[in-house]
Structures are given as C-alpha cells and as structure tokens.
Amino acid sequence: IYEDRRGELIVVSGNFNISRLQPDGTFKMVRPELPAGSIWMWQSNAAFLDSRGDWWVNTQNAVYRYAGASRLEDLDNKPPTAVYNEAAGLLSDNNVRVFEDSKGDVWFSPWVTSKRLGLTRWRRETGEFEQFTKEDGLPESFVAIAFAEDEAGNLWFGFTDGGVARFRDGRFTILDEPNAPKGGI
C-alpha cells in the first residue's frame, strides 16, 4: 500500500496489478508490461513507488523500472524504461525487497536462494550499482528483509535469520549487544 505524491491511495496486489482508490470508493486497476510468466515472491514488495514517481516492479527474474508514469493510467501496458538483473549490476536476478533511502538511492536485497547474498545500491545520481557483501560488514548468509532510515540518515537493515545492521559512513555494523532483537526481523 502506497500513497502517491498527490496523496492518493495505491494498492499493489497479486499478478502485478496496481490499483488506485477512486473518490467513489472503487479501484482503478492497471498492469505494466512484463514478460510472459513473470512471477513475484509472496514476501516481496512486488511493485514499489519511489519518491520521484517511478515504479519498480520486482519479479523473480529481474527488477523493471517504469519512469515517467506521472498518472497511474500512464503505467497501464507501459513497457519498462530499464531492466535490472545480475548482468546489469544487481547481486541477483531474484530480489525480495526494494527500498529507497532519503537520497533517492534504491536498495535491493536478493532472496535466500540466490548464489550471492548481500545488498545492492543503485545510486540515482550516477545510475551506477554498488554491491555490499560480508566484506563490507554484512552477515554472510542472511537476507535483509526490513529497511528503515533514521533522522541522521543512518540506514537500518533487519535480517530473515535475525540480527540488525546499521549502514553509516559507507560501512555496515552488526548490532551485537546482549539485548538485540532475536529471530527474524
């Protein structure tokens, strides 16, 4: 569930259907163009609306970006502006989460079945990808599933197998204090 820049309620449902709540209480539904057989993972955010009004559609084979769809109707059957996968710079073709930070950078977290785990950041300013793995302080086998940003601009990540990490000054730090939350975050 999202609120767009106009304050309208947007809901993403199965099969990549994206709907807007109309004033009469009904929903207007659209679906962007995707390859036949595209599927989403039940735990993923199947479609993500960023602060610039671009849609990011998260399938098990790639992430599709739809830029310039200022109205929901513009998204209906629209081909993607860009397709992001391993070959383009992501750690994996199959990502479970897409998150935008306050700088407009977009973060991707691959699913547990991926060959390589960690995080990928797409820098909006340059359009380049940056990958983060255990060498950058991330847990070796955990998948980031929860994302948040605090007032100081620190990013926080919660992992499927438990644990919380902070990203500050280009480095991850795992919270290892005794009272840190246990279990999947």
Side-chain angles (χ1 to χ4, degrees):
I1 298 174
Y2 301 98
E3 188 175 79
D4 69 11
R5 292 184 292 186
R6 293 188 235 19
E8 296 175 329
L9 182 71
I10 306 289
V11 177
V12 178
S13 57
N15 201 26
F16 307 103
N17 296 316
I18 301 172
S19 303
R20 178 185 62 231
L21 181 63
Q22 304 291 96
D24 67 1
T26 63
F27 283 90
K28 166 71 177 166
M29 185 178 70
V30 301
R31 186 176 191 275
E33 181 182 299
L34 289 165
S38 291
I39 55 176
W40 61 282
M41 234 178 339
W42 68 274
Q43 291 184 340
S44 72
N45 51 346
F48 174 76
L49 176 63
D50 74 18
S51 65
R52 308 301 201 283
D54 292 351
W55 282 96
W56 301 76
V57 176
N58 190 11
T59 76
Q60 288 189 348
N61 296 316
V63 177
Y64 299 85
R65 182 177 174 207
Y66 300 84
S70 59
R71 299 176 317 118
L72 188 67
E73 291 79 6
D74 297 337
L75 192 57
D76 199 27
N77 292 310
K78 177 183 175 84
T81 308
V83 179
Y84 302 119
N85 54 24
E86 272 186 70
L90 295 176
L91 278 171
S92 173
D93 294 340
N94 185 7
N95 290 275
V96 67
R97 287 281 185 259
V98 180
F99 170 79
E100 181 186 23
D101 65 26
S102 63
K103 295 176 185 170
D105 294 343
V106 179
W107 294 77
F108 306 89
S109 178
W111 186 233
V112 294
T113 57
S114 299
K115 293 177 284 189
R116 296 170 52 212
L117 297 177
L119 290 163
T120 305
R121 174 173 53 182
W122 176 75
R123 291 186 174 262
R124 187 175 297 272
E125 189 175 289
T126 64
E128 296 176 353
F129 289 98
E130 182 178 10
Q131 298 177 354
F132 300 94
T133 61
K134 66 180 181 175
E135 287 78 22
D136 300 293
L138 286 171
E140 183 171 359
S141 62
F142 294 2
V143 172
I145 196 107
F147 297 74
E149 184 170 358
D150 63 28
E151 290 179 359
N154 298 307
L155 297 175
W156 296 88
F157 301 90
F159 301 96
T160 54
D161 291 344
V164 175
R166 178 185 64 214
F167 182 73
R168 178 172 60 187
D169 299 327
R171 185 92 179 131
F172 290 90
T173 304
I174 304 296
L175 264 62
D176 59 0
E177 58 188 78
N179 293 325
K182 306 290 186 235
I185 307 294

